[in-house]
Amino acid sequence: MHISCGTQGIVNSKHPGQGIKDIALAGFQNIFLDLSVVCPVWELENVGKSAQKRGNGASWIFEHPEEMRSRGGFLADQSAKGGLKISVSMAPYLNYSTKRDDLNNLLERLTQESVMVSAQAHCRYLIVRPLTAGIGNADLREVNRAYYLRLAERAKKYDIQLLLENQCRNHNGHLIRGFCADGRQAAQWVDTLNEAAGEERFGFCMDVGACNLCGQNIYDFVLSLEGRMKAVILRDCDGSSDSALLPFTSVAQGQSQTDWLNLIRGLREIAFDGELILDFHDTAVAFSPLLKPELIHMAKSVADYFAWQIGMESLLKKYPSRVLFGAGNMCRNYLKCYGEKYPPLFTCDNNGKLWGSVFEGLEVKNPQVLSALPKDCAVFICNIYYREIEEQLRQMGIENPIEFFNDEYMPSFYFDRLENR
Amino acid sequence: MIRTGVQTKNIVNDGHPEEGFSMIKRAGFSCADFSLNGYLLNKEIYQSSLNRFFDASVSELERFFTPHKKGAEAAGVTINQMHMPYPVYVPAGEKQVNDYLRNEVAPKSMAVCAFLKCPYIVVHGFKLARFLGSEEKEWEETEKFINFIAPMAKEMGITLCIENLYDGIGNHLVEGPCCDAVKAAERIDRINEKYRAEVLGFCFDTGHANLVGIDFESFLTTLGGRLKVLHIHDNDGRDDLHQIPFTFAKTRENKTSTDWEGFVRGLRQIGFQGTLSFETAPVLSAFPETMKQDALSFIARIGEYFAGGVSAS
């Protein structure tokens, strides 16, 4: 899985050095280049409304779409110098609330240019939103089918895969399900376009924020796109306003307002191994430039956490044998969801009273027995005191791989929890 | 001919039910959605503090609801749909509570429905996806319950209607059971085929659909003739407010933020001939008592407006 950091709100398109450096120092190796940083939404919304030139003498990009290449190329070069690869890019787009129904030709031109920028940046994927403004429901399908297939010609030339993305539709200020918001229909779109293109030129990028705005069953959405899902944009929001917040920060009543459980369940089930993009530009903009480096570090940790949770089953699969540490609820949850598929040899616990007992069908042993494990057998800690237990095991001289298991996002849950163990 | 109706909650009282039904009729409605769920509140069910209303025998319940039945008849109001108390299963709830809901409340609700000569009863699907892992597994449990009451439904000539529901994450309301029209259609067809009768249909709740951004038109046209019952009400897209349609706007243009045009188009496309039934009880407790009749008449007028749109060729 490739983890990428969104550049919006962090990297200034004219002075990208500092933002790129902050991202690289946080440990990211890839970035997500949303080309609206060089052709902003507000600029598109004002096409034709002002003849005013940019302050530095540069022209509006809508007047010279070919400048996408030089401006995007500049960002790509600077990123490469900073040690960052561009994994996914996104063509310019209009807001969901736009009333500009006269810009479809311009958007297509800008998207064609975006294909070139992506090629220059050695970026494999380009996310392309559909043309919707001013197009009635009856024509939406045909207009976009033709649009995507025209783009496919250039994309093929430069070997770029075009990613469709689930959209919201603005109904008088209320965001509801729009183009590709239905997972089955989205899958059908991808398949139909690929069939027409004669190759796998199209894939899908799931925008978690858009799913959340429409209160969707995220698990079902993910499963219906299995195999076509090349990228996932992780962003948080309150389910009502369209924003891109750092995951786990949109909270009410002590709970996240995005259904991370069903996202992780779904991505884990399809063994997602594509591009994981963290887009938190609203959070980033709100933070002082002085605090941004720490914020980006935090964002990296959040992204790593998602990758770890999504890859949990792959982690279990990685080892030929495994034992658990802990004989409580987390161990019980392991056994419920993975006990059959990845059976542990036994579990152990620091509570001497449990030694020799059987918990949920698994023998509980003294941790001392771990020193006799075969070398490739991993110890999965099933207790929230991960670091303390890991240190204990290392001090005991255990050299086996030690992994953390976690039951926050499980394929299913018991209705109850065991108390006082 | 398309009829209009409204739920009886906050209108019909047990002391003088005939007055409430007369009020419904005066407002311009010809149908009522009988709020049987008002006799066993969901809050009490979740708290395992059930009242003992459904301890009564079927004949006692029939006696209790006889004035309601006569009141509706006298007013010329047809009880076209009703709502079974919900939930009918409490996740992680006490066994005796869940047994009571299944073995007492559900069958007796069916009996009351038959007694009132009501053809449709709305039942809520189980909310178990978090525990069981998926909507499919959640549905399996709901289907077991449907299979439990479907023989009664067949015998009584009643159609059970599953309803699109929401669930909560923090204070964000998201998809709950029965929000997938394609799956709902397949399940309804399969179960009806199994029983060789129309034991299962759908209740489309506009407010719940609006909360989770469902495209009304697409959902309704997917359901087609399986749509039997409506719960019409409006909200701000965030909370389940059960307000009057056209009430909410989100932009300076002050246009309705709920897609009522899509709703009417969808019903028109499927040739809906049922009852445009409003689930707007909170409106009636919000308005002053002296304006209750006016508020109700206004809702009925909106129903007529919708009916005109649905019937238009």
Side-chain angles (χ1 to χ4, degrees):
Chain A
M1 202 178 313
H2 287 129
I3 294 172
S4 301
C5 182
T7 50
Q8 258 209 74
I10 301 173
V11 177
N12 182 297
S13 62
K14 290 179 202 156
H15 305 287
Q18 179 173 283
I20 286 168
K21 193 173 176 187
D22 286 344
I23 292 172
L25 284 174
F28 285 101
Q29 294 175 328
N30 300 288
I31 55 169
F32 164 55
L33 182 61
D34 181 342
L35 286 163
S36 66
V37 296
V38 293
C39 182
V41 172
W42 62 263
E43 191 174 314
L44 288 172
E45 289 291 337
N46 285 295
V47 169
K49 289 183 184 170
S50 167
Q52 192 182 353
K53 295 291 176 188
R54 286 183 166 220
N56 61 4
S59 57
W60 296 102
I61 203 139
F62 60 76
E63 291 172 339
H64 299 282
E66 70 282 0
E67 284 189 18
M68 284 283 295
R69 269 176 273 172
S70 56
R71 295 191 202 176
F74 172 65
L75 278 177
D77 289 346
Q78 294 297 307
S79 303
K81 279 181 192 162
L84 295 173
K85 287 180 189 163
I86 297 173
S87 54
V88 184
S89 54
M90 186 172 193
Y93 49 87
L94 291 161
N95 270 334
Y96 288 137
S97 58
T98 189
K99 292 187 173 58
R100 296 302 302 259
D101 56 7
D102 57 336
L103 301 179
N104 289 338
N105 288 337
L106 174 63
L107 280 169
E108 179 163 352
R109 176 74 199 281
L110 291 169
T111 304
Q112 296 278 13
E113 293 296 332
S114 301
V115 173
M116 311 279 277
V117 175
S118 302
Q120 275 177 295
H122 307 290
C123 166
R124 191 174 168 198
Y125 300 115
L126 175 69
I127 302 167
V128 181
R129 290 188 173 180
L131 301 174
T132 54
I135 301 168
N137 266 348
D139 299 324
L140 200 62
R141 195 174 179 83
E142 273 318 300
V143 168
N144 278 290
R145 181 184 151 85
Y147 170 56
Y148 281 118
L149 290 176
R150 285 195 299 275
L151 293 173
E153 289 173 27
R154 181 170 287 194
K156 181 176 185 176
K157 187 174 171 188
Y158 293 99
D159 198 22
I160 303 291
Q161 192 165 18
L162 303 173
L163 304 186
L164 278 64
E165 186 198 52
N166 52 311
Q167 303 291 295
C168 294
R169 176 163 70 85
N170 185 310
H171 182 82
N172 297 325
H174 184 200
L175 295 177
I176 60 176
R177 300 177 194 197
F179 183 88
C180 283
D182 180 294
R184 282 180 298 254
Q185 284 176 9
Q188 206 174 27
W189 261 102
V190 173
D191 294 348
T192 307
L193 288 172
N194 278 334
E195 200 180 318
E199 58 182 359
E200 198 186 330
R201 186 55 50 203
F202 294 89
F204 198 81
C205 171
M206 174 188 187
D207 176 3
V208 176
C211 275
N212 195 44
L213 286 164
C214 299
Q216 289 185 250
N217 182 328
I218 294 181
Y219 173 81
D220 278 2
F221 188 87
V222 171
L223 260 61
S224 56
L225 282 152
E226 185 179 7
R228 303 159 186 95
M229 188 96 81
K230 305 299 178 191
V232 173
I233 297 177
L234 291 176
R235 64 177 174 116
D236 209 347
C237 66
D238 66 1
S240 180
S241 306
D242 190 13
S243 49
L245 309 177
L246 185 66
F248 306 122
T249 61
S250 186
V251 174
Q253 299 167 356
Q255 280 186 288
S256 275
Q257 292 174 296
T258 296
D259 189 1
W260 302 119
L261 169 65
N262 276 310
L263 175 73
I264 291 169
R265 273 180 176 171
L267 293 176
R268 195 185 290 178
E269 188 164 329
I270 66 167
F272 177 74
D273 194 26
E275 306 290 335
L276 193 64
I277 299 162
L278 203 64
D279 178 5
F280 56 106
H281 67 260
D282 286 304
T283 307
V285 167
F287 268 70
S288 160
L290 291 166
L291 291 170
K292 263 182 203 176
E294 282 80 9
L295 175 69
I296 302 168
H297 268 283
M298 181 64 192
K300 176 65 167 59
S301 300
V302 168
D304 288 343
Y305 175 80
F306 271 96
W308 174 66
Q309 282 288 3
I310 292 164
M312 185 71 73
E313 194 172 341
S314 308
L315 190 64
L316 297 174
K317 203 187 291 181
K318 188 173 143 187
Y319 298 100
S321 63
R322 58 206 72 76
V323 298
L324 307 184
F325 193 109
N329 280 295
M330 207 184 287
C331 171
R332 184 178 178 232
N333 286 332
Y334 178 103
L335 294 170
K336 174 178 176 16
C337 297
Y338 298 111
E340 211 168 297
K341 209 167 173 187
Y342 308 104
L345 303 174
F346 57 85
T347 189
C348 48
D349 200 283
N350 283 333
N351 183 353
K353 290 178 189 164
L354 299 176
W355 298 344
S357 68
V358 173
F359 177 66
E360 301 286 320
L362 197 64
E363 192 181 356
V364 186
K365 296 189 178 187
N366 183 332
Q368 291 300 333
V369 302
L370 296 173
S371 51
L373 286 177
K375 276 186 179 175
D376 53 1
C377 178
V379 181
F380 278 85
I381 300 175
C382 293
N383 186 297
I384 57 165
Y385 298 105
Y386 295 110
R387 294 172 295 281
E388 210 174 298
I389 293 169
E390 184 181 26
E391 198 182 332
Q392 174 195 337
L393 297 178
R394 290 302 179 210
Q395 280 175 359
M396 283 165 60
I398 308 292
E399 290 177 352
N400 292 66
I402 296 174
E403 301 283 3
F404 298 167
F405 180 74
N406 181 268
D407 63 356
E408 287 172 86
Y409 302 99
M410 295 293 277
S412 64
F413 287 111
Y414 278 106
F415 284 93
D416 62 342
R417 275 183 67 78
L418 302 174
E419 301 297 336
N420 303 323
R421 272 189 69 85
Chain B
M1 161 129 181
I2 295 172
R3 300 180 298 179
T4 59
V6 69
Q7 71 179 132
T8 57
K9 187 182 174 189
N10 288 348
I11 306 171
V12 174
N13 65 59
D14 295 332
H16 297 282
E18 70 285 357
E19 290 176 6
F21 284 110
S22 294
M23 195 175 196
I24 287 172
K25 185 69 176 177
R26 279 200 305 280
F29 295 104
S30 57
C31 294
D33 173 355
F34 195 74
S35 304
L36 188 64
N37 51 315
Y39 295 89
L40 187 58
L41 300 177
N42 66 336
K43 201 163 81 178
E44 292 168 5
I45 296 174
Y46 279 120
Q47 290 170 350
S48 292
S49 60
L50 309 186
N51 67 48
R52 309 313 299 184
F53 183 82
F54 284 92
D55 282 2
S57 66
V58 169
S59 57
E60 285 169 334
L61 288 171
E62 287 179 354
R63 249 195 322 278
F64 180 84
F65 285 118
T66 295
H68 304 75
K69 186 179 182 180
K70 287 185 176 169
E73 283 169 1
V77 170
T78 303
I79 297 175
N80 72 294
Q81 63 191 70
M82 67 192 303
H83 209 309
M84 187 180 286
Y86 60 90
V88 282
Y89 180 84
V90 184
E94 293 172 21
K95 185 178 183 304
Q96 64 184 48
V97 169
N98 284 327
D99 286 349
Y100 182 76
L101 292 170
R102 176 189 161 96
N103 300 324
E104 296 293 329
V105 177
K108 287 176 182 171
S109 297
M110 298 297 290
V112 172
C113 190
F115 173 70
L116 294 175
K117 297 192 186 322
C118 173
Y120 301 110
I121 186 164
V122 176
V123 294
H124 278 193
F126 294 8
K127 292 186 176 180
L128 292 170
R130 174 184 159 76
F131 296 102
L132 302 182
S134 69
E135 190 274 343
E136 297 282 347
K137 288 183 179 137
E138 173 183 78
W139 171 258
E140 284 172 18
E141 298 305 311
T142 298
E143 191 166 323
K144 284 179 195 164
F145 175 72
I146 287 169
N147 280 324
F148 172 63
I149 50 173
M152 293 175 231
K154 183 176 180 179
E155 191 184 323
M156 294 169 175
I158 295 169
T159 301
L160 309 164
C161 293
I162 47 173
E163 175 187 4
N164 54 305
L165 302 175
Y166 60 83
D167 216 332
I169 297 176
N171 64 358
H172 179 206
L173 303 183
V174 300
E175 261 192 53
C178 303
C179 282
D180 186 321
V182 174
K183 285 185 186 178
E186 178 275 320
R187 290 162 179 171
I188 289 168
D189 292 349
R190 181 167 47 75
I191 288 171
N192 287 341
E193 197 172 316
K194 176 178 171 182
Y195 288 95
R196 297 182 186 282
E198 209 167 51
V199 293
L200 194 61
F202 201 89
C203 168
F204 181 66
D205 188 300
T206 60
H208 299 173
N210 195 49
L211 289 170
V212 298
I214 283 173
D215 183 310
F216 288 6
E217 186 178 356
S218 166
F219 198 97
L220 291 169
T221 51
T222 303
L223 283 177
R226 303 166 190 93
L227 177 73
K228 301 299 176 192
V229 167
L230 292 165
H231 284 167
I232 305 171
H233 55 101
D234 206 355
N235 57 50
D236 59 358
R238 286 190 69 99
D239 293 304
D240 190 21
L241 301 169
H242 288 260
Q243 289 298 310
I244 301 174
F246 303 107
T247 307
F248 297 92
K250 284 177 177 278
T251 60
R252 296 294 292 273
E253 287 86 0
N254 293 317
K255 301 266 191 191
T256 177
S257 57
T258 303
D259 187 10
W260 294 112
E261 286 180 12
F263 172 64
V264 170
R265 274 198 310 272
L267 292 179
R268 189 166 61 230
Q269 281 177 55
I270 64 172
F272 183 73
Q273 286 298 312
T275 300
L276 295 165
S277 191
F278 291 81
E279 203 180 44
T280 44
V283 173
L284 303 175
S285 53
F287 275 93
E289 188 64 27
T290 52
M291 292 192 71
K292 204 166 176 173
Q293 182 71 61
D294 295 319
L296 208 50
S297 299
F298 181 54
I299 296 169
R301 178 70 195 94
I302 293 171
E304 287 169 22
Y305 169 79
F306 282 150
V310 174
S311 308
S313 51

